[in-house]
Amino acid sequence: MLLLGMPGLAGLATGACAQDVAASSAVPPNPSLFAPPVPPVVATGPLTFAPLVRQVGPAVVNIAVSQDNRSATSHQPLPPSVKGTPFEHRFRERMRAHGEEMLGAGSGFLIDPSGVIVTNAHVVGGADLITVSLADGTEFPAHLVGSDDLTDIAVIQIHAPHPMPFVPWGDSRLVNIGDWIMAAGNPFGLGSSVTAGIVSARGRDIGTSPFDDFLQIDAPINPGNSGGPSFNLGGQVVAVNTAIVSPTGGSVGIGFGLPSEIVAPIVEELRHNGHIDRGWLGVTLADGPGHDGVQIVGIDRNGPAMKAHLHIGDVITAVNDEPIDTSRMLIRSIAAKRPRSTVVLHIRRRHDTLSLPACVGHRPDEDMED
């Protein structure tokens, strides 16, 4: 659980660009990814969440990760999800028996009967061994299909001899502030748990990446809940629990889930490609005092913006037909384009208004501004 206490327009110098194809988090997701809205499983009060728990609980999994640690020092810190919990004893026993491993814990959920699981990238990042435990205690080894550090989403896979229970995506765009929500996961490594609360806010930017667009929920979530699902009352996943604000390390009622409208398309691309290809412009940006575009204050040498003949001082007001108000909007818009696709940048240069085509580059792995 994350505790809270870009690159630019690049492309090839020559050659035609492919047609612009929307991808990843900033594009409206394919409606077919989401199940149709359904009547609530819990429709009154609610007096109890038990029917909802019975319906979705079997698809929520616990994830344990081990990391080869033989090359490191013998005195290793306890993972935050373990320290001070009943899981700490198991960790220390394992360390004594297998000095080369360290253990952490997280959560995930099955989205397909074939054993496809969604979790957070920081839960499984760097793991040498991933073990998935089902609600009935059955354990399976898992392998990493793909991950995206910018949105902290990972897809892993288990292979079971029979179809797995799974849960569908719900459309988070239909979630309202004040709606009931139920979170599930593996807090502090204790095992499957559920909590309930309401959606406190939408569109939260908590400073973890340019793609922050979290639902804030007050259902208690804690270290170990990372990667677990938050459900609407129809039993559909509308968010992936990712971060909390906490001065103590435990829940204070401020948690954040990445909404399904962002997660579902990323998961589909990770399932098919194992990684996310994002567009890049190659500029440094500055927000203006108003909402009338963003100013270019730096251009990468031989980057896409330079090849598109953009100048320092230009103000980008739109990408294709999408108005741009902030640098964050521009970064997300360009990142959503396929590398080598063409976009039209509408700019203001002194007293002139121009429209320049640009061939989008491939966003470098390093965390750059645009």
Side-chain angles (χ1 to χ4, degrees):
M1 179 61 59
L2 299 180
L3 300 179
L4 306 174
M6 229 175 202
L9 278 191
L12 302 177
T14 60
C17 288
Q19 293 296 316
D20 184 10
V21 181
S24 127
S25 58
V27 204
N30 184 344
S32 65
L33 295 176
F34 307 121
V38 296
V41 175
V42 180
T44 58
L47 298 177
T48 176
F49 285 89
L52 181 57
V53 175
R54 286 193 293 269
Q55 176 175 307
V56 303
V60 181
V61 304
N62 301 330
I63 299 173
V65 298
S66 299
Q67 186 177 46
D68 190 342
N69 203 37
R70 283 168 288 189
S71 60
T73 63
S74 58
H75 300 288
Q76 294 299 319
L78 290 170
S81 59
V82 173
K83 188 174 182 179
T85 75
F87 208 49
E88 181 175 344
H89 175 72
R90 179 180 168 188
F91 172 84
R92 294 192 183 279
E93 289 296 318
R94 189 181 181 99
M95 286 294 291
R96 277 192 285 269
H98 307 283
E100 75 280 2
E101 294 182 335
M102 61 184 298
L103 190 67
S107 307
F109 55 98
L110 288 145
I111 61 166
D112 189 278
S114 65
V116 178
I117 295 169
V118 177
T119 185
N120 280 145
H122 77 261
V123 169
V124 295
D128 295 316
L129 176 65
I130 305 172
T131 302
V132 170
S133 300
L134 304 185
D136 62 4
T138 308
E139 293 188 350
F140 294 94
H143 71 271
L144 180 66
V145 175
S147 65
D148 178 42
D149 290 339
L150 282 177
T151 54
D152 198 16
I153 294 299
V155 175
I156 61 176
Q157 172 90 52
I158 62 174
H159 297 286
H162 50 78
M164 292 282 95
F166 67 97
V167 286
W169 294 111
D171 192 343
S172 59
R173 293 170 296 185
L174 303 179
V175 174
N176 296 308
I177 297 173
D179 281 352
W180 279 105
I181 201 165
M182 187 182 80
N186 180 28
F188 293 109
L190 292 170
S192 298
S193 300
V194 296
T195 55
I198 63 168
V199 176
S200 304
R202 294 182 55 98
R204 287 298 198 212
D205 178 0
I206 59 177
T208 58
S209 87
F211 307 101
D212 283 7
D213 191 12
F214 289 97
L215 296 181
Q216 180 182 327
I217 62 176
D218 73 350
I221 57 176
N222 290 284
N225 274 110
S226 284
S230 280
F231 296 97
N232 61 21
L233 294 189
Q236 300 170 329
V237 179
V238 292
V240 177
N241 304 325
T242 300
I244 61 174
V245 168
S246 174
T248 63
S251 173
V252 293
I254 303 177
F256 301 98
L258 195 64
S260 61
E261 63 193 276
I262 292 177
V263 179
I266 289 174
V267 168
E268 286 304 298
E269 188 161 351
L270 290 175
R271 291 180 66 178
H272 290 94
N273 301 323
H275 64 278
I276 303 294
D277 288 321
R278 289 194 170 90
W280 178 66
L281 188 56
V283 294
T284 302
L285 305 168
D287 288 329
H291 295 282
D292 55 350
V294 294
Q295 187 174 44
I296 297 175
V297 297
I299 297 179
D300 288 10
R301 185 177 181 82
N302 295 323
M306 178 173 285
K307 293 170 183 176
H309 306 293
L310 272 71
H311 297 167
I312 292 176
D314 286 352
V315 175
I316 301 176
T317 58
V319 175
N320 296 333
D321 295 324
E322 177 188 358
I324 297 297
D325 294 333
T326 65
S327 57
R328 184 166 173 258
M329 287 181 63
L330 179 61
I331 292 170
R332 294 181 64 173
S333 176
I334 295 299
K337 312 305 181 195
R338 294 282 189 187
R340 299 187 63 186
S341 63
T342 301
V343 296
V344 177
L345 302 174
H346 301 280
I347 67 171
R348 190 169 61 249
R349 181 177 293 168
R350 297 185 181 89
H351 302 293
D352 299 325
T353 299
L354 306 174
S355 296
L356 300 178
C359 190
V360 176
H362 189 284
R363 183 183 179 93
D365 292 334
E366 296 82 3
D367 187 17
M368 302 174 68
E369 185 169 351
D370 183 27

